[in-house]
């Protein structure tokens, strides 16, 4: 039997055999896949806002107000890789099957991936701004802290 290949002829397609899965929660923009995947692009932008006032009286919150959502992603700088001295890994999978007995996952985070199989490219990004807006307690006159 000849292995099928992805379009770039570098990743042979394999079959995932999973005995049992117990998965409780997959968060925003998370993926779960059994089998091969060519590419993953998972992105999450979120504002987690806790405040005492009602949203109708306190005003709206906009992504544009926070630089974290517009900032460029940091680049990985690896001088050895840039000089052509990077590590080369070659794998030979004698068995075309990926066999897993049991998977138990309590939760996966935002823009995460649970994959049993091959994946050529993964790009995940999660940007969350946590804001808590509560009035500061007023000091009691005559009390010193």
């Amino acid at each position: 039997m000849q292995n099928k290949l992805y379009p770039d002829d570098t990743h042979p397609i394999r079959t995932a055999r999973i005995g049992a899965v117990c998965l409780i929660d997959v968060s925003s923009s998370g993926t779960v896949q059994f089998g091969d995947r060519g590419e993953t692009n998972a992105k999450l932008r979120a504002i987690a806002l806790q405040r005492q006032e009602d949203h109708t009286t306190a005003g709206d919150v906009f992504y544009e107000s926070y630089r974290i959502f517009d900032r460029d992603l940091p680049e990985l700088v690896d001088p050895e890789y840039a000089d052509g001295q990077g590590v080369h890994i070659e794998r030979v999978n004698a068995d075309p099957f990926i066999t897993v007995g049991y998977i138990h996952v309590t939760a996966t985070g935002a823009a995460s991936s649970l994959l049993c199989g091959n994946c050529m490219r993964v790009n995940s990004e999660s940007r969350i701004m946590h804001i808590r807006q509560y009035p500061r307690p007023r000091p009691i006159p005559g009390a010193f802290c």
Side-chain angles (χ1 to χ4, degrees):
M1 177 175 123
Q2 183 179 6
N3 279 341
K4 298 177 186 174
L5 299 177
Y6 281 110
D8 68 355
D9 293 338
T10 59
H11 292 79
I13 293 176
R14 298 176 74 195
T15 301
R17 290 190 217 171
I18 312 297
V21 177
C22 176
L23 180 61
I24 297 171
D25 183 38
V26 178
S27 187
S28 302
S29 191
T31 59
V32 176
Q33 182 174 348
F34 303 107
D36 292 347
R37 174 188 312 158
E39 186 171 347
T40 299
N41 289 306
K43 296 188 182 194
L44 172 75
R45 292 180 2 151
I47 295 178
L49 178 62
Q50 293 179 337
R51 55 183 163 187
Q52 187 171 359
E53 289 187 57
D54 189 319
H55 291 295
T56 56
T57 59
D60 293 328
V61 178
F62 301 99
Y63 288 110
E64 297 82 14
S65 301
Y66 302 97
R67 289 197 56 229
I68 189 172
F69 298 111
D70 296 326
R71 221 181 294 172
D72 290 336
L73 291 175
E75 289 188 33
L76 175 64
V77 178
D78 186 353
E80 291 181 4
Y81 179 78
D83 291 340
Q85 300 173 8
V87 176
H88 176 73
I89 298 174
E90 186 173 329
R91 294 187 180 117
V92 177
N93 298 311
D95 189 350
F97 297 100
I98 298 168
T99 305
V100 179
Y102 179 72
I103 299 172
H104 178 89
V105 178
T106 302
T108 62
S112 66
S113 177
L114 171 64
L115 172 68
C116 292
N118 284 335
C119 186
M120 293 170 49
R121 282 178 226 87
V122 177
N123 181 18
S124 297
E125 175 184 340
S126 176
R127 297 182 186 207
I128 303 172
M129 182 71 181
H130 292 274
I131 303 169
R132 287 166 182 77
Q133 294 177 341
Y134 292 101
R136 291 189 174 139
R138 295 182 180 200
I140 300 172
F144 298 98
C145 297

